[in-house]
């Protein structure tokens, strides 16, 4: 049974208070999921424990089928728009919020060992923009990548906006942190991943690359790109572009590369 | 010589006043370009006549090389941050604005006739989101598409935000309007373009498509997709995705398809 909240200061909805201010501080053990599409993805992910929902009254009916997947002990709070906006601190048009617990991050080596023999992962180096990280997770989920690795400079995929831009992909694709880009590359190589580093200066052309059974796609931020030391230790690949306009968004780049690598895998499976 | 503006009400900088409000109304004969990257692209495009620039004082030095391309009769206004923000109506962090005249749009048939025998164009149907249209122009420029066609429901590529997201690509790739999606398809077929319509229900897989000499890539909005009547008259193509997460951003989709089509063209040129 939904619990109606009429007082914005009700202590039960404390985790939903001043959402933007808390986004800035960061949430260590929890994250906020926002909107219907993301909530529906979240409800299908057993690795995240949902603590509660806060819904605008008029959103309840449209979600009744999805809420059947919710464990019965999870409180569902409802509020009218005015109360909900007052709790959250801004007009929350989507009218759907959830608070869930983060899953613990596996140590890098353990994460890689647990992956199948045939695996495609994405490694992110210095990606501090939530839109880009969200977009990359969306593509990683769409093309069925088995995991994403983030270096210490890359931002949190469970930041509210990153989850939203990922359309829930950040909740679908398992990820973990590497203490540094260097450590990421070392661990990948130790786990028999071939590293494909995308760079405008890459020595091969993406459309001719045939991926290995275990492939890691390494992406750097749009301006600086990947550090030279990492490129020296990887198979470097470029996407040829039209003269004078050498500029792709990094999330788009991830989509292009993941499409090529997965379509090659499907066409010519390597012998086991 | 730059002209210093000290009064936000100076009539000479009238076109820069209340930028956001005017964005909403739309500019019929002009557009606003914003930021250094976009300005540098604009300065290289002979088809747009620049009427004036408005620069934050501290941006002038960094642009001196680019401003050599500016015709000497174009006024360059400068202002300090406070005055510039007051003119524009919000804190304009980039500190770089230009007002330029739109190039006249060619009639659809004329636009297509003028294209080379070997041509790749993008057709947009119902794309009302400036981020998506900007992202598509960025990709069209990156992969050297010869043109973009927009139906009557698609938004203005010269809207300030669309230009910014396109990183100037909206100023690079020529475009024109079709009175309707139906008219677009008819004109493309009359001009011997093979139409590749992307759709989750497409009957071919993108990675196996070999493009014709004249190819048009047709894209619809993320939710509704392309109308059934158009799909019936096109070669329909899908991008296979991982089970349960059938979701790509339409700008990313354009990048994936343009990459595939241009890499195929480069690899196996069709006989002339």
């Amino acid at each position: 049974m939904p619990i109606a909240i009429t007082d914005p200061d009700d202590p039960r909805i404390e985790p939903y208070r001043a959402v933007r201010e808390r986004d800035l501080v960061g949430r260590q053990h929890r994250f906020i999921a926002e909107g219907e599409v993301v909530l529906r993805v979240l409800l299908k992910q057993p690795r995240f424990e949902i603590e509660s929902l806060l819904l605008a009254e008029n959103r309840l009916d449209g979600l009744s089928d999805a809420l059947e997947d919710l464990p019965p002990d999870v409180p569902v709070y409802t509020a009218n728009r005015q109360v909900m906006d007052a709790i959250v601190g801004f007009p929350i048009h989507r009218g759907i919020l959830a608070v869930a617990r983060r899953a613990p991050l596996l140590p890098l080596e353990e994460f890689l060992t647990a992956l199948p023999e045939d695996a495609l992962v994405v490694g992110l180096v210095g990606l501090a923009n939530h839109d880009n990280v969200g977009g990359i997770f969306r593509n990683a989920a769409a093309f069925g990548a088995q995991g994403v690795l983030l270096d210490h400079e890359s931002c949190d995929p469970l930041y509210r906006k990153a989850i939203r831009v990922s359309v829930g992909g950040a909740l679908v694709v398992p990820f973990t942190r590497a203490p540094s880009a260097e450590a990421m590359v070392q661990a990948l190589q130790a786990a028999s991943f071939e590293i494909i580093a995308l760079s405008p200066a890459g020595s091969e052309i993406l459309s001719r690359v045939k991926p290995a059974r275990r492939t890691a796609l390494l992406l750097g931020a749009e301006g600086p790109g990947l550090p030279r030391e990492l490129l020296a230790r990887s198979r470097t690949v470029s996407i040829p572009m039209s003269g004078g306009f050498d500029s792709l968004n990094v999330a788009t780049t991830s989509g292009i590369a993941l499409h090529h690598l997965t379509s090659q895998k499907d066409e010519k499976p390597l012998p086991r």
Side-chain angles (χ1 to χ4, degrees), chain A:
Chain A
M1 274 299 288
I3 302 157
I5 301 289
T6 51
D7 174 7
D9 294 326
D10 192 313
R12 290 173 295 181
I13 43 73
E14 209 281 330
Y16 297 96
R17 202 157 288 140
V19 161
R20 279 194 180 141
E21 287 70 13
R22 294 199 192 184
D23 279 352
L24 292 174
V25 180
R27 292 177 185 80
Q28 236 187 323
H29 303 295
R30 295 180 171 82
F31 65 92
I32 295 257
E34 179 184 359
E36 176 167 351
V37 177
V38 167
L39 175 62
R40 286 180 181 273
V41 173
L42 176 63
L43 285 164
K44 301 277 179 207
Q45 302 303 320
R47 75 178 192 282
F48 297 110
E49 189 195 324
I50 301 180
E51 293 188 336
S52 68
L53 304 184
L54 173 60
L55 308 176
E57 288 163 351
N58 64 340
R59 299 307 307 262
L60 200 56
D61 277 358
L63 288 173
S64 55
D65 62 313
L67 296 183
E68 287 170 13
D69 291 337
L70 193 70
D73 58 328
V74 175
V76 178
Y77 301 110
T78 63
N80 68 32
R81 288 282 167 171
Q82 219 173 348
V83 172
M84 191 162 180
D85 290 356
I87 295 166
V88 175
F90 62 94
I92 179 92
H93 303 293
R94 288 180 176 81
I96 296 176
L97 290 171
V99 168
R101 291 193 74 79
R102 288 169 184 267
L105 294 185
L106 288 181
L108 184 55
E109 289 70 19
E110 203 177 315
F111 183 92
L112 293 174
T113 308
L115 293 176
E117 262 315 285
D118 217 320
L120 177 60
V121 302
V122 180
L124 305 184
V125 176
L127 281 177
N129 178 297
H130 289 108
D131 284 297
N132 285 337
V133 169
I136 290 168
F137 268 89
R138 181 174 181 176
N139 296 336
F143 290 111
Q146 275 78 19
V148 174
L149 309 178
L150 302 110
D151 78 337
H152 62 296
E153 288 180 7
S154 295
C155 64
D156 179 13
L158 298 185
Y159 186 82
R160 183 171 54 95
K161 191 182 181 194
I163 300 176
R164 196 177 69 213
V165 172
S166 80
V167 197
L171 307 175
V172 172
V173 185
F175 64 88
T176 197
R177 289 270 176 191
S180 69
E182 188 64 24
M184 186 194 294
V185 165
Q186 272 175 15
L188 283 166
Q189 287 174 334
S192 307
F193 276 83
E194 180 174 72
I195 301 173
I196 291 182
L198 278 181
S199 164
S203 53
E204 289 175 77
I205 286 174
L206 175 67
S207 61
R208 300 201 178 146
V209 169
K210 306 257 180 267
R213 272 165 73 185
R214 294 198 129 190
T215 294
L217 175 69
L218 214 61
L219 298 165
E222 276 171 53
L226 289 165
R228 196 183 294 187
E229 318 85 74
L230 296 193
L231 292 177
R233 297 175 57 183
S234 311
R235 186 175 171 187
T236 61
V237 170
S238 74
I239 298 177
M241 273 174 261
S242 177
F245 200 88
D246 199 0
S247 166
L248 281 176
N249 166 270
V250 63
T252 300
T253 301
S254 76
I256 292 170
L258 289 169
H259 171 257
H260 174 76
L261 296 172
T262 53
S263 67
Q264 289 294 314
K265 281 207 173 203
D266 290 346
E267 254 170 47
K268 298 179 187 178
L270 293 168
R272 286 205 169 248

